[in-house]
Amino acid sequence: MATFTREEIEHLGDLARIALTDGEIERLRGELNVIAESITKVQEVAGDDVPPTANPIPLEAYLRPDEVQTPLTQAEALAGAPETEAGMFVAPQILGEE
Amino acid sequence: MSSTEELVKLSASQMAAQIHAKEISSRELVEAELEVIDAAEPSIDAFLQVSREQALEQADALDKRIASGDTEDLPELAGVPVAVKDMIVTKGIATTAASKILEGWIPPYDATVVEKLKAAGMPILGKTNLDEFAQGSSTEHSAFKSTKNPWDTGRVPGGSGGGSASAVGAFEVPLALGTDTGGSIRQPSALTGTVGVKPTYGGVSRYGAIAMASSLDQVGPVSRSVLDAALLQEVIGGYDQRDSTSIPKPVPPLAQAAREGAKMDLTGMKVGLVKELSGDGYQPGVEARFNEGVQLLQDMGAEVVEVSCPHFSYALAAYYIIMPSEVSSNLARYDGMRYGLRVMPPEGTAQTAANMMSATREAGFGDEVKRRIILGIYALSAGYYDAWYGSAQKVRTLIIRDFEEAFKKADVLISPASPTTAFKFGERMNDPLAMYLSDVATIPANMAGSPAMSIPAGLSDDGLPVGFQFFAPQMRDEVMYKPAAALEAALEAKWGGPIHRDLKTPWLGNK
């Protein structure tokens, strides 16, 4: 049975890019342990002979007609951005953190 | 009774008939609904935004078309207003998914279903409240407000589509769209005495429906009658090349099936009662109303047989692996870069992209969303992927097989839609498992991609609505519309009118 430690929750928070507070880490630990306990029951019936199903409807690759369409304009694509400059998204630096 | 009250209590199909007959205009209808919204919202809180001006403009455009005599191809629901769950994007109208991370975002495009509403001449009255990113079973997880149940404003309307269900139940609008990932249309419909339908997965385009769990999400109608749901599903359904999971087949004849059902003859139909969706955990009053409904189906000529779906008891647990896994992946797009909220890290912290993302997502997401993202990331992580996610996908296979076996014995399957009636605010907020159990009867249909619907079965001993659920085979949505309409007709004959006649509406009566 899976049990979540404080360190694991912190690590998962890092992976999720969510800066969890100490209070949240403690609360999540308790809740996720209860949920994990209930979830382990799926392993009881998932035998090797059962194939997994990722999507309920069989997916086929349908090709759409190759027609020219008008996409969003640059202004429309940028309209919801927190910060823009010279027709581009402005993002904080990605280098130099460590 | 005021004319406003008379007007808004009509079904959508009755409203449409009056518009076609030029007895009322679409503007009159929209104005009447806006009047009810103004009066009801302080008690109900169903809407996150009312798009008053746009709705009136759309109504006027339709009225102008009718006045010009251009009515040959007039869609059946033309002129009838509709509300849209705020999980579905609307061009020029803010769409938030009830999350702070999208607060104020105005989409530059319409979802396919919204385009279809507009093409059908249906004015969009506004955006309805939901649990944040459709994650919850009570609409208490909205970042903005909790919607109230019109039958008892001290109780939840269910979730995540509580806003759509309450808006329709309270006569603020005759029709609404919802999204159903684990029961988010049907469970709130059950709790508010409305009709809610989850179509076959792939039967209605999800283009522009904000993704929560992509292999489970489905857009569908909320209404006060089975025929109205059928008419709305016919408007929004059909193939869409912009959705890679859309089924390239036409919409089945749903309204025809509903009209057939209203004749109350089910001779030759086999109805399968799902053994695993009753008993422990189901409120006695819910079971009592359900059993009365079963008897009525038999009285109309249906043969009721018991069917066993042994893996349904694993559906909830498997769902709570698959759904958060897909949530963690889908919600990765909320990174503060291109749209939505951006929160810079506190002073003394490196102002990098990674730190900005962490600060933004910490501030922008609510507790339930964080819980599910963390759970999903764990389920998908190295070392656990096969044991958790792989096992859950196998359970999905077993549930699909259960449905296939059951549909060899019966044309449709039935169960209560929710194990309980509406619960009080706060009652399940600190107990995620208890909250998750709210969807125990609805989840199997999402796992299998099958269509399912909830219709009102009457009031439990506590005076609150009970939902009666029908399941049909994949891509055969019309099959459930017939017995659902028949049961609705039989119940209304017994009650002397629709269930809503018993709803006290001080926001209408006390004006």
Side-chain angles (χ1 to χ4, degrees), chain B residues 74-193:
Chain B
L74 197 65
E76 184 156 355
L77 289 176
V80 178
V82 59
V84 176
K85 185 180 183 181
D86 207 28
M87 192 71 172
I88 299 171
V89 304
T90 41
K91 187 177 181 176
I93 303 175
T95 300
T96 66
S99 179
K100 283 185 201 163
I101 213 158
L102 275 179
E103 190 170 7
W105 179 60
I106 297 177
Y109 70 105
D110 274 327
T112 295
V113 290
V114 174
E115 281 181 355
K116 289 188 172 203
L117 294 177
K118 288 180 176 174
M122 301 176 70
I124 295 168
L125 272 183
K127 306 299 291 289
T128 50
N129 196 21
L130 65 150
D131 286 298
E132 183 180 2
F133 283 106
Q135 296 176 31
S137 304
S138 66
T139 314
E140 290 167 287
H141 292 293
S142 168
F144 305 116
K145 57 186 176 183
S146 294
T147 298
K148 285 78 184 174
N149 191 315
W151 290 85
D152 178 348
T153 52
R155 291 176 188 266
V156 303
S160 65
S164 287
S166 279
V168 171
F171 302 102
E172 293 178 273
V173 67
L175 297 167
L177 293 187
T179 59
D180 191 312
T181 304
S184 287
I185 293 174
R186 290 163 287 152
Q187 185 258 10
S189 284
L191 269 48
T192 58

Side-chain angles (χ1 to χ4, degrees), chain B residues 195 224-227 257-266 292-293 296-297 299-300 453 455-458 468 470 480-499 501:
Chain B
V195 175
R224 289 190 296 267
S225 83
V226 174
L227 176 61
R259 288 183 168 119
E260 184 66 27
K263 295 174 188 164
M264 295 169 61
D265 181 4
L266 296 178
E292 287 165 15
L296 286 173
L297 292 174
D299 293 346
M300 289 185 282
M453 66 195 297
I455 71 163
F468 193 106
F470 291 89
M480 64 186 179
Y481 272 101
K482 182 179 172 181
L487 180 57
E488 176 185 64
L491 285 166
E492 290 185 6
K494 187 172 140 188
W495 301 331
I499 191 169
R501 62 194 274 283

Side-chain angles (χ1 to χ4, degrees), chain B residues 442-460:
Chain B
T442 49
I443 281 172
N446 301 81
M447 294 288 276
S450 304
M453 66 195 297
S454 174
I455 71 163
L459 302 179
S460 179

Side-chain angles (χ1 to χ4, degrees), chain A residues 16 24 31 51 53 90 93, chain B residues 342 353 361 370-371 393 397:
Chain A
E24 281 177 329
E31 290 168 353
T53 300
V90 173
Q93 64 177 34
Chain B
R342 174 180 291 183
R361 289 161 66 82
K370 286 176 188 164
R371 182 157 50 217
Q393 299 287 39
T397 304

